[in-house]
Amino acid sequence: MLNFGDFSRYGKSFRSVKRSNFWGLPVNFLVFSLVTVITARPPRPYPCSAN
């Protein structure tokens, strides 16, 4: 299992670690949440054209 220390030890500076945390935590969470909601939503019903 990997943890934060496994990734942050290779950061070149504290600024780069902070920047990658911004992209890796909230932005990544938001993107995966949107993909999950879009994938798991119920399908649209077919239009009924039997008039």
Side-chain angles (χ1 to χ4, degrees):
M1 175 179 262
L2 297 173
N3 59 18
F4 179 74
D6 293 329
F7 294 105
S8 64
R9 80 174 81 176
Y10 298 111
K12 297 185 188 299
S13 67
F14 184 68
R15 183 174 180 247
S16 69
V17 171
K18 281 179 26 179
R19 185 177 54 220
S20 59
N21 280 342
F22 171 74
W23 288 108
L25 298 173
V27 174
N28 198 18
F29 177 77
L30 180 66
V31 170
F32 276 106
S33 297
L34 289 173
V35 168
T36 302
V37 167
I38 291 169
T39 304
R41 70 179 169 84
R44 292 187 205 167
Y46 290 108
C48 182
S49 61
N51 289 346

